[in-house]
């Protein structure tokens, strides 16, 4: 009769288990990459915070020793020497 309905096309137990194992491996790999990325982001955030603190401290030190100068007041024109 050439009827092949009895043949388990894409329904064999070995195919089903390998598909789910492949998906689980892929999920594990993605989870590991996500965790690695989260660690990197945390590390970079810490470094940026340290850099910001250092820059703020440097700015304060320069203001203390007068290297930055004072910004001109609004509406006041600087005097020129005669």
């Amino acid at each position: 009769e050439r009827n092949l309905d009895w043949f388990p096309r894409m329904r064999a137990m070995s195919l089903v288990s390998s598909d789910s194992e492949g998906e689980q491996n892929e999920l594990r790999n993605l989870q590991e990459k996500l965790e690695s990325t989260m660690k990197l982001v945390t590390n970079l955030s810490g470094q940026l915070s340290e850099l910001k603190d250092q820059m703020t401290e440097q700015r304060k030190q320069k203001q203390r020793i007068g290297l930055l100068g004072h910004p001109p007041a609004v509406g006041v024109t600087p005097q020129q020497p005669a």
Side-chain angles (χ1 to χ4, degrees), residues 2-48:
R2 295 188 181 193
N3 183 357
L4 299 177
D5 288 341
W6 60 272
F7 194 77
R9 290 178 286 178
M10 301 305 289
R11 292 181 285 175
M13 287 179 15
S14 63
L15 290 176
V16 172
S17 65
S18 68
D19 284 345
S20 66
E21 287 176 13
E23 289 176 6
Q24 288 177 354
N25 286 337
E26 187 176 346
L27 286 174
R28 269 190 235 113
N29 288 338
L30 288 173
Q31 183 68 30
E32 289 172 4
K33 287 180 182 179
L34 177 62
E35 289 173 2
S36 174
T37 302
M38 289 172 61
K39 287 178 184 178
L40 287 172
V41 167
T42 301
N43 187 18
L44 287 173
S45 293
Q47 290 177 355
L48 284 173

Side-chain angles (χ1 to χ4, degrees), residues 55-65 68:
M55 291 179 70
T56 300
E57 186 59 35
Q58 285 180 359
R59 188 177 299 130
K60 287 179 182 178
Q61 287 176 358
K62 285 182 180 180
Q63 285 176 342
R64 284 184 199 126
I65 59 175
L68 290 180

